[in-house]
Amino acid sequence: MKFRSLTWAGLFLLLTALFSSCSTPLKNITYLYNLGKADSTLQTVSPDVYTIHPNDNLYISIISDNPDAASFLNLSQPDRNYTSESSLELITYIVDDHGNIVLPYLGKQHVGGKTTNQVRDELQEQIDNIMENASVFVKLVNRTITILGEVNRPGQYRVNKNSMTIFEALGTAGDLSDFGNRKDVRVIRGEGGERKVATLNLTNSNITHSKYFYILPNDIIYVQPKNRIYGAKTLPFATLFTAISTAVLLYTSFRP
């Protein structure tokens, strides 16, 4: 009886140690953990405005009360019913390596490093010298981000908002997987002809002070895996089988 009691006590301690080692501290899996439970106000930086880069696709249309009069300024006859992104991609200007595009009649235009609003205003000034009652419409077509690593639905996603936070971006990919490291999320962004990498800690509310809190078109988000896998949900079956086998062996060995 004494051996049996010791065996069950040993089994209990073994399983307790096994599963307790697989528990995850709440601070490692809770977004903005240090924000506290009380109602709080998050201070965020202003989102950066995307500037045009080489290989960007720009849809530019000159719209006039008389479409025929403005046709020589467009790649094709402007259509007010264009609504889909696929339609826009058929009549876009691709920015070359020097940041230039070539427009009908207006010729070469330098757009690299400028916002779409700046390009629109500069073109509008030129158009006003040519014809009256005409408006310029400029749109960035390739508004996509790429999300990779430990998320539930990795892939490339289209950005349909002027500003998107890192949380919203990860939400489009189905949130982090069970293996995703919330303290190590990388954002890769093209700036000044270079690729810069920022590391974000999603559990720290100070993330809202980073300019990378807001995601820009063409950003790449990579979620690093955890160094260790935690949780009963991800407990390796081999480890569980070993524990059970050991318990059975102890029981049969010391059974009176």
Side-chain angles (χ1 to χ4, degrees):
M1 181 66 68
K2 182 177 180 181
F3 284 119
R4 179 175 295 182
S5 299
L6 290 174
T7 300
W8 284 113
L11 174 61
F12 175 77
L13 291 175
L14 176 63
L15 293 178
T16 300
L18 177 64
F19 284 99
S20 63
S21 66
C22 296
S23 62
T24 305
L26 194 61
K27 65 180 180 180
N28 290 339
I29 61 174
T30 303
Y31 293 127
L32 308 176
Y33 176 79
N34 65 332
L35 193 60
K37 296 181 179 180
D39 293 340
S40 303
T41 300
L42 283 174
Q43 301 295 327
T44 62
V45 297
S46 298
D48 285 346
V49 179
Y50 182 79
T51 56
I52 298 169
H53 293 72
N55 297 317
D56 277 346
N57 287 8
L58 297 179
Y59 170 72
I60 300 177
S61 178
I62 314 300
I63 302 173
S64 172
D65 293 337
N66 184 356
D68 292 335
S71 61
F72 72 101
L73 295 170
N74 292 288
L75 283 177
S76 65
Q77 188 71 19
D79 189 343
R80 297 176 185 271
N81 295 322
Y82 273 125
T83 55
S84 68
E85 296 291 344
S86 59
S87 299
L88 297 181
E89 290 175 358
L90 297 176
I91 48 175
T92 59
Y93 299 88
I94 299 178
V95 182
D96 66 21
D97 293 338
H98 303 288
N100 299 320
I101 58 174
V102 178
L103 298 179
Y105 188 78
L106 297 178
K108 181 184 292 186
Q109 305 287 324
H110 184 72
V111 297
K114 300 176 182 178
T115 67
T116 54
N117 286 344
Q118 289 174 326
V119 173
R120 179 201 62 200
D121 293 342
E122 291 178 2
L123 292 178
Q124 184 68 59
E125 185 176 349
Q126 297 179 53
I127 294 299
D128 288 342
N129 294 326
I130 299 174
M131 60 190 309
E132 297 180 350
N133 301 322
S135 299
V136 179
F137 179 77
V138 180
K139 180 180 178 66
L140 178 69
V141 175
N142 55 305
R143 295 177 59 88
T144 58
I145 57 175
T146 303
I147 306 176
L148 303 172
E150 294 299 336
V151 292
N152 289 311
R153 294 193 302 271
Q156 192 173 74
Y157 295 88
R158 188 173 296 279
V159 179
N160 296 317
K161 303 173 61 177
N162 288 331
S163 63
M164 172 182 283
T165 68
I166 182 67
F167 292 114
E168 292 173 311
L170 292 172
T172 62
D175 202 0
L176 275 66
S177 70
D178 293 331
F179 305 99
N181 188 346
R182 285 166 170 76
K183 292 187 174 183
D184 194 352
V185 176
R186 313 288 175 87
V187 177
I188 305 171
R189 177 174 299 171
E191 293 182 347
E194 299 178 341
R195 285 285 183 179
K196 296 187 178 181
V197 181
T199 301
L200 300 179
N201 180 355
L202 304 184
T203 68
N204 194 324
S205 62
N206 288 333
I207 186 179
T208 60
H209 299 159
S210 170
K211 71 175 184 178
Y212 293 93
F213 178 67
Y214 286 99
I215 301 303
L216 296 179
N218 299 323
D219 278 357
I220 299 174
I221 301 171
Y222 176 71
V223 179
Q224 291 275 29
K226 295 176 182 177
N227 292 330
R228 295 175 58 190
I229 306 303
Y230 299 97
K233 183 177 180 180
T234 57
L235 181 66
F237 287 106
T239 303
L240 184 59
F241 178 77
T242 300
I244 295 175
S245 300
T246 302
V248 172
L249 179 62
L250 288 172
Y251 176 76
T252 56
S253 297
F254 293 99
R255 184 174 58 182

